[in-house]
Amino acid sequence: MGHSTEPKPWLPFNDRHDAGRRLALKLHHLRAQQQPAGVARPVVLGLSRGGVPIAAEVAASLDLPLGVLVARKLGVPGSEEVAFGAVATYGGFTHLSHLPFVMDHLRRDGYTIAELDAVEAGERAELARQQTLFGNGRQPLISGRTVLLCDDGLATGATIRTAVSLMREAGAGATHVCLPAGPAGACRELEALCDALTCLQPWPAMHAVSEAYLLFDQVSDAQVLAAIDKYPRP
């Protein structure tokens, strides 16, 4: 596996900023990496909102441009922590994906198409709101470039897999997924979809991303804007 892990015993991350700084240490070789003639330097993208503090630390350490990829999990009605899919948008491209095995279970359990469509409509509305707030005029071009795609961790992987597919459709030259922690099995599955994957702590089992952190507060709109406002508009 292409993981670049921290030595054991693994220490919990103090918060997302600590996780981002520790992740940047494992990616520091990219700072001096020479690009082929005519190819722009890599760009760091954080999945909104929790991945943005991670991405901001990586971008600052590697002296690379920072952007926000807006993505939303589609949560099962009444069990929102369980994903049945995800939707993501960047630079005029949008990608929607569903998890077929979850959809099969939901149909057998009596969930209606109308219920799931209502969830999707609500998340698309929030996607549009965040894209207007974080994206318009702020998203670096990615065509032909390596994208360091950062999130605060991996649970089911529905959102990050959707983001990887979106990057391919948007013309990224390569997608390198960068994670502080996640289940080893889900990392292996994700690694088959992207060009490179760095996970500091691939856990044998993980029930929630928050298990890897001492402090795992919600990230606000204001915190995301504060991070990206430090960078000039592309």
Side-chain angles (χ1 to χ4, degrees), residues 57-98:
E57 296 292 348
V58 171
S61 178
L62 304 186
D63 191 26
L64 293 175
L66 172 69
V68 178
L69 188 156
V70 181
R72 299 292 298 174
K73 178 179 71 176
L74 305 180
V76 174
S79 300
E80 283 73 17
E81 71 282 0
V82 178
F84 67 86
V87 60
T89 188
Y90 190 90
F93 293 84
T94 298
H95 186 85
L96 169 71
S97 63
H98 292 124

Side-chain angles (χ1 to χ4, degrees), residues 183-194:
C187 286
R188 283 192 294 270
E189 293 174 3
L190 180 59
E191 193 172 30
L193 302 178
C194 59

Side-chain angles (χ1 to χ4, degrees), residues 1 19 32 34 45 52 71 96 103 114 116 126 132 135 137 160 180 183 185 213:
M1 298 177 69
Q34 296 296 315
L45 300 183
V52 176
L96 169 71
M103 295 293 289
L116 302 183
E126 177 60 14
T132 299
I160 194 76
Y213 291 82

